[in-house]
Amino acid sequence: MIEVSKYKIKPDMAEGTHQFDSLQGALDYLENHPEEEPRILVHPGIYQEQVTVRIPGVIIAGASREEEDAKDVVITCGLAGKEILADGMKRGTFRTYTCFVDADDVTLRNLTIENSAGPGTKAGQAIALYADGDRLVVDSCRLLGWQDTLFTAPLPPKEIEKNGFIGPKQFAPRRNNRQYYKDCYIEGEVDFIFGGAVAYFESCTLFSKDVDREVKGFVTAPSTPEGLPYGYVLESCRFTSNCPERTVFLGRPWREWGRTVLLRCEIGPHIKDEGWDDWGKELAHTTSFFAEYGCKGPGAGLDGRPDWCHVLSEADARAYTREQVLGGADGWSPSI
């Protein structure tokens, strides 16, 4: 058993239990001891650290005081994209992460992962979770931040701005990933869920935070690789906010082939009548795919949606089950 705790090692621990005072310390130990079961139990506390996960199949679970309460275990860091480093360059988006998952078959459960850098107007981009793994499961977690809270890798094929992709996977081959987010709370402002993964969000709460700008934010910014039939699918999710009415977009295409589909979601009054923005990409009117089906709430009215967006029929919606979206060639069916 691998445990992480802010408190001293208990004298009555079971034989074979290894305890660490940081999550990264526990992960480093597992990397060097592959004979150990890849399971880490994190006890309540605030852990101020930047974490990298490179162990395939590892399960990292918070030991909450109450069942399925992620608030008790907080992994936090405050790196900001606008920070100027010693070499005179900005840190940039992809070196700001609090937690970087760089392995397949990882499960995160009952954790809070936070980037505390602050609003994007001051801090710039600031990733809480950099998720670069296939068959990733994020269950009952809280992902907290402002701009660019959750990055669902891979990166797009090419950067638009020079040095825009500086970070751990800048030159790595782009590999398609499937990710499953269940019962999570995710908050942010601009593009706070972004990237190229095929990601299924089920029964999640997506909270748009108020910030000092006219357009308060964009919930999703997919960069789905060209040719993939699925990008982001949000099933039975809740779009909530402390923003004024009609000031937030549901999403926009980070790259021209971005795809986001909403199924039976509850959409609050903070969402603009247009719902979706094209990010100035006219090509995206024909290459992207943004669609809704069966949504309700004051922000779910479809009359103001752009003509390049879609309303799914009941038959169309059947193509977006979790099994179809995430199954892939190996028939992956994540279980919680």
Side-chain angles (χ1 to χ4, degrees), residues 64-80:
S64 59
R65 296 184 181 92
E66 296 183 10
E67 187 176 356
E68 297 185 356
D69 185 356
K71 295 180 181 178
D72 291 337
V73 179
V74 180
I75 315 299
T76 183
C77 193
L79 300 179

Side-chain angles (χ1 to χ4, degrees), residues 1-2 26-27 29-31 33-41 53-61 104-108:
M1 170 70 73
I2 309 298
L27 288 163
Y29 173 83
L30 274 179
E31 279 201 72
H33 294 82
E35 74 280 1
E36 296 276 5
E37 181 183 11
R39 183 183 295 267
I40 299 174
L41 183 67
V53 181
R54 291 199 173 96
I55 303 166
V58 69
I59 298 172
I60 305 172
D104 293 341
D105 301 299
V106 171
T107 297
L108 306 177

Side-chain angles (χ1 to χ4, degrees), residues 57-230:
V58 69
I59 298 172
I60 305 172
S64 59
R65 296 184 181 92
E66 296 183 10
E67 187 176 356
E68 297 185 356
D69 185 356
K71 295 180 181 178
D72 291 337
V73 179
V74 180
I75 315 299
T76 183
C77 193
L79 300 179
K82 289 185 178 180
E83 178 187 355
I84 303 300
L85 303 182
D87 59 6
M89 296 184 64
K90 290 182 180 179
R91 180 178 295 277
T93 304
F94 300 100
R95 293 188 286 183
T96 64
Y97 58 85
T98 296
C99 180
F100 172 38
V101 174
D102 188 22
D104 293 341
D105 301 299
V106 171
T107 297
L108 306 177
R109 179 171 292 127
N110 292 344
L111 302 171
T112 291
I113 301 173
E114 174 190 49
N115 188 308
S116 62
T121 49
K122 297 180 180 179
Q125 296 88 345
I127 295 173
L129 175 60
Y130 185 141
D132 192 358
D134 193 25
R135 298 181 298 274
L136 170 71
V137 173
V138 182
D139 174 25
S140 303
C141 288
R142 299 165 72 233
L143 307 179
L144 310 183
W146 292 80
Q147 183 170 346
D148 291 8
T149 305
L150 169 62
F151 174 54
T152 66
L155 290 160
K158 295 180 180 179
E159 58 192 10
I160 294 175
E161 298 180 3
K162 184 179 179 181
N163 298 320
F165 290 167
I166 287 180
K169 305 303 284 285
Q170 180 179 8
F171 302 112
R174 306 305 192 242
R175 190 183 64 137
N176 296 332
N177 294 315
R178 293 162 295 167
Q179 303 176 0
Y180 179 47
Y181 298 82
K182 179 72 162 61
D183 293 328
C184 291
Y185 171 87
I186 308 170
E187 69 174 28
E189 35 142 320
V190 170
D191 305 333
F192 65 92
I193 301 173
F194 75 114
V198 174
Y200 203 93
F201 298 83
E202 186 173 347
S203 301
C204 294
T205 296
L206 312 170
F207 185 85
S208 294
K209 300 171 75 169
D210 197 1
V211 67
D212 186 20
R213 58 166 66 92
E214 182 179 356
V215 174
K216 301 298 183 180
F218 306 80
V219 180
T220 64
S223 56
T224 314
E226 182 179 3
L228 288 189
Y230 301 113

Side-chain angles (χ1 to χ4, degrees), residues 7 168 240 336:
Y7 305 101
T240 63
I336 298 298

